[in-house]
């Protein structure tokens, strides 16, 4: 036992995450690690699983487009090492050697295996001070993976990559997940002996298996029953399949908590969705960032909500798009409403079809029901804003605020030229352009004259003949 592990009853745990590869099979300009699953880079998911094990150290191996990959993983508890050129998974682990805390065990995770869970990894690392543990899985379609070759007594012998396998080996359905735990003290010696005499001319980390066996270090293959957790993403089809697995599992969790989901195959949560009791979510809704739905909220089909909090019993009708907004209780929004950043709606507010609201507060029980733009505004309570009202907030250089006080009624097709205040209780007649502050109460109208010309004739096209 090393000095460190003698001092520390729980031996140090290093976690090395391999993230240097380019991801050729994605056919993308974006490094594979930065492709997103549930709205987050693949690597971020693996880091979550790593952190949940409270390791002594997390080391991420980057290489291809390292700067971009490091940006998304940068954190005080993450150390980066560089691998360039990328000569294979064994070569990648080798680059992490100088950073390993001596003694204890080292867990190697792959940055392209995003659904792995800490609970699956715990049994793997438990005994790894004295043995090598390899996480395996039995897949219906093992194509592309390294196959686990066992001897007559079912003991692990080696791993053969798809490209190096013979006909009989290709039929093996037990695959290497790429996730291993090793006694740290052994790694340096074994990695130093790796050769690249294989089909891909790469240094395979999987070749450590026969080396361990030769050195009489037991190698244990631990089968993971939940295949999706260990599936690797090498191409876009695999990425989309795992996205659906993630979404279905997340939907199941929400339903277990009491959320009614019209179709768990048609919901996308790309962040954190927190729901109260008796929330109903219709098909095709997308949630991004932090979204909170209070008790009794009902979401219509095909709504997109990004960093939004919605109060009790509010109803959002179909095709409503909301970003960075706070919505009160018992409101009705949509269909086809657009709620932009900085929107604050009090309780019982109605926002109807083709209404856009930005950086505005709207007070209790006010209604903006049709074809309207409310921007940089403050609307009081019990107001009624007529169809086609526009707050003209932009003078070409600066934004200005519109203030609409309590109990104001605004007729159809009104322009409010900011900065302007419509005082309490005012009624604004249809078609008015309000460009001066109004006194409270009364009716505001632009003076216009309606003419009737009895002698007027409609224009008529001349006949061709
Ligand atoms: C690897 C395993 C294979 C296993 C599969 C599981 C080897 C030789 N093969 O194959 O047995 O079934 O994962 O998904 O280990 N990487 C580096 N540097 C490199 C090469 C790769 O950091 O030089 C990283 C990649 O960024 C990726 C991971 O290692 O995150 C796996 O690389 P990939 O090329 O996808 O290996 P597979 O062919 O999937
Ligand atoms: Mg892979």
């Amino acid at each position: 036992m090393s000095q460190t592990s003698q001092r520390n009853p729980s031996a140090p745990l290093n976690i090395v995450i391999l993230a240097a590869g380019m991801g050729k099979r994605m056919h993308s300009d974006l490094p594979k690690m930065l492709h997103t699953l549930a709205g987050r880079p693949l690597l971020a998911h693996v880091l979550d699983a790593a952190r949940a094990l409270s390791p002594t150290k997390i080391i991420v191996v980057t290489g291809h487009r390292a700067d971009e990959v490091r940006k998304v993983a940068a954190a005080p508890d993450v150390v980066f090492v560089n691998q360039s050129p990328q000569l294979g998974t064994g070569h990648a682990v080798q680059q992490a050697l100088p950073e390993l805390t001596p003694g204890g065990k080292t867990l190697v995770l792959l940055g392209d295996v995003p659904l792995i869970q800490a609970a699956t990894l715990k049994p793997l690392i438990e005994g790894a001070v004295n043995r090598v543990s390899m996480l395996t899985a039995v897949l219906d379609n093992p194509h592309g993976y390294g196959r686990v070759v066992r001897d007559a007594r079912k003991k692990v012998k080696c791993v053969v990559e798809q490209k190096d396998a013979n006909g009989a080996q290709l039929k093996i359905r037990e695959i290497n997940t790429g996730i291993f735990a090793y006694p740290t003290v052994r790694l340096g010696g074994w990695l130093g002996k790796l050769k690249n005499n294989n089909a891909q001319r790469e240094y395979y980390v999987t070749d450590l298996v026969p080396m361990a066996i030769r050195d009489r270090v037991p190698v244990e293959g631990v089968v993971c029953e939940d295949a999706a957790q260990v599936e690797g993403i090498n191409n876009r089809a695999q990425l989309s399949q795992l996205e659906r697995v993630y979404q279905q599992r997340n939907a199941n969790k929400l339903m277990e908590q009491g959320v009614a989901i019209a179709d768990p195959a048609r919901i996308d949560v790309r962040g954190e969705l927190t729901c109260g009791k008796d929330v109903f979510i219709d098909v095709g809704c997308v949630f991004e960032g932090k979204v909170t739905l209070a008790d009794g909220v009902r979401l219509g089909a095909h709504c997109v909500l990004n960093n939004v909090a919605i109060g009790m019993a509010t109803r959002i009708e179909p095709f409503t798009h909301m970003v960075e907004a706070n919505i009160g209780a018992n409101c009705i929004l949509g269909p086809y409403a657009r709620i932009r950043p900085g929107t604050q709606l009090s309780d019982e507010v109605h926002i109807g079809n083709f209404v856009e609201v930005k950086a505005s507060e709207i007070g209790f029980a006010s209604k903006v029901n049709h074809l309207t733009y409310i921007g940089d505004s403050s609307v009081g309570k019990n107001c009624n804003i007529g169809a086609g009202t526009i707050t003209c907030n932009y003078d070409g250089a600066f934004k200005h605020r519109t203030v609409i006080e309590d109990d104001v009624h605004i007729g159809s097709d009104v322009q409010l030229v900011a900065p302007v205040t419509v005082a309490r209780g005012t009624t604004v007649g249809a078609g008015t352009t309000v460009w001066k502050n109004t006194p409270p109460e009364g009716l505001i109208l632009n003076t216009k004259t309606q003419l009737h010309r009895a002698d007027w004739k409609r224009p008529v096209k001349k006949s061709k003949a």
Side-chain angles (χ1 to χ4, degrees):
M1 212 187 270
S2 76
Q3 278 204 334
T4 324
S5 53
Q6 269 164 4
R7 263 187 275 121
N8 183 353
S10 59
L13 170 64
N14 295 290
I15 300 185
V16 179
I17 303 177
L18 305 190
M22 155 180 184
K24 255 183 243 152
R25 292 163 278 183
M26 297 297 283
H27 298 289
S28 170
D29 281 341
L30 198 66
K32 180 160 73 175
M33 294 301 123
L34 303 189
H35 281 263
T36 56
L37 186 141
R40 298 171 69 218
L42 297 181
L43 185 54
H45 291 270
V46 182
L47 278 165
D48 284 352
R51 288 198 175 104
L53 295 167
S54 314
T56 319
K57 201 162 183 184
I58 299 177
I59 301 146
V60 177
V61 184
T62 58
H64 175 71
R65 311 261 294 260
D67 289 349
E68 289 154 75
V69 176
R70 286 179 185 204
K71 230 182 251 164
V72 308
D77 61 343
V78 174
V79 173
F80 294 100
V81 296
N82 187 47
Q83 185 205 13
S84 65
Q86 294 89 45
L87 302 179
T89 49
H91 179 251
V93 178
Q94 204 169 22
Q95 310 314 304
L97 280 176
E99 287 292 346
L100 297 182
T101 307
K105 42 218 166 171
T106 296
L107 173 68
V108 175
L109 300 178
L110 302 187
D112 67 348
V113 179
L115 297 192
I116 189 68
Q117 297 293 307
T120 307
L121 297 170
K122 267 186 194 142
L124 201 73
I125 54 182
E126 258 151 31
V129 179
N130 310 308
R131 62 161 201 233
V132 172
S133 305
M134 166 171 60
L135 191 64
T136 75
V138 179
L139 300 186
D140 290 338
N141 176 14
H143 182 85
Y145 290 92
R147 309 299 206 281
V148 178
V149 181
R150 293 185 185 252
D151 66 16
R153 290 175 304 145
K154 300 274 176 242
K155 289 209 152 167
V156 174
K157 250 173 76 183
C158 62
V159 174
V160 183
E161 290 306 298
Q162 168 89 26
K163 288 186 178 151
D164 301 299
N166 61 33
Q169 287 164 336
L170 287 175
K171 290 208 179 88
I172 298 173
R173 285 174 48 225
E174 187 181 7
I175 60 102
N176 164 38
T177 66
I179 295 172
F180 285 89
Y182 308 91
T184 306
V185 67
R186 296 285 190 160
L187 270 177
W190 291 336
L191 288 167
K193 288 186 219 147
L194 278 181
K195 300 236 159 36
N196 67 348
N197 49 352
N198 51 53
Q200 303 186 80
R201 293 260 150 251
E202 283 185 4
Y203 296 90
Y204 292 165
V205 77
T206 43
D207 287 347
L208 263 48
V209 170
M211 288 186 194
I213 294 168
R214 232 172 287 136
D215 287 350
R216 300 191 182 286
V217 176
V219 176
E220 197 190 346
V222 180
V223 182
C224 174
E225 301 296 341
D226 178 11
Q229 268 194 50
V230 295
E231 272 173 42
I233 290 176
N234 296 312
N235 57 44
R236 293 190 187 254
Q238 287 166 331
L239 177 58
S240 70
Q241 280 156 17
L242 279 200
E243 175 79 34
R244 288 337 302 165
V245 171
Y246 175 96
Q247 294 302 343
Q248 178 72 53
R249 288 181 179 190
N250 197 60
N252 290 347
K253 269 192 232 156
L254 289 165
M255 290 189 292
E256 276 161 29
Q257 291 160 16
V259 180
I261 297 178
D263 181 358
R266 283 183 288 169
I267 178 172
D268 285 83
V269 181
R270 300 173 191 154
E272 230 177 275
L273 172 61
T274 313
C275 295
K277 258 195 231 146
D278 294 311
V279 165
F280 170 74
I281 300 172
D282 211 335
V283 299
C285 290
V286 178
F287 302 88
E288 295 165 335
K290 271 199 172 137
V291 175
T292 313
L293 308 179
D295 294 354
V297 165
R298 295 183 69 82
L299 276 191
H302 304 289
C303 291
V304 178
L305 278 65
N306 174 318
N307 289 303
V308 169
I310 298 184
M312 268 167 63
T314 283
R315 217 167 76 211
I316 314 286
E317 300 288 0
F319 300 101
T320 293
H321 186 251
M322 310 173 76
V323 181
E324 288 164 36
N326 232 307
I327 311 300
N330 298 304
C331 295
I332 303 174
L333 279 75
Y336 301 101
R338 180 166 184 217
I339 306 297
R340 293 176 52 203
T343 297
Q344 304 265 359
L345 305 187
S346 301
D347 297 346
E348 301 191 23
V349 167
H350 292 188
I351 303 289
N353 41 251
F354 307 107
V355 171
E356 175 179 348
V357 183
K358 185 215 76 174
S360 297
E361 309 94 51
I362 298 184
F364 177 81
S366 286
K367 297 181 175 57
V368 191
N369 271 331
H370 330 266
L371 301 156
T372 287
Y373 174 59
I374 301 289
D376 301 305
S377 300
S378 169
V379 178
K381 50 184 196 252
N382 297 313
C383 293
N384 197 313
I385 314 282
T389 296
I390 310 279
T391 55
C392 312
N393 59 333
Y394 186 49
D395 62 12
F398 302 101
K399 299 277 170 69
H400 302 282
R401 289 196 71 78
T402 300
V403 177
I404 298 169
E405 294 183 354
D406 296 348
D407 300 308
V408 165
H409 283 204
I410 294 185
S412 301
D413 191 26
V414 165
Q415 299 86 46
L416 302 156
V417 184
V420 73
T421 296
V422 181
R424 171 181 50 79
T426 304
T427 299
V428 179
T432 302
T433 302
V434 182
W435 49 274
K436 273 200 314 201
N437 293 351
T438 76
E441 313 293 345
L443 176 68
I444 299 290
L445 284 174
N446 292 152
T447 43
K448 289 178 191 165
T449 319
Q450 182 167 312
L451 295 175
H452 179 239
R453 281 173 50 186
D455 58 340
W456 183 78
K457 293 271 181 299
R458 283 186 187 161
V460 181
K461 280 187 185 165
K462 280 187 188 135
S463 72
K464 282 181 188 151

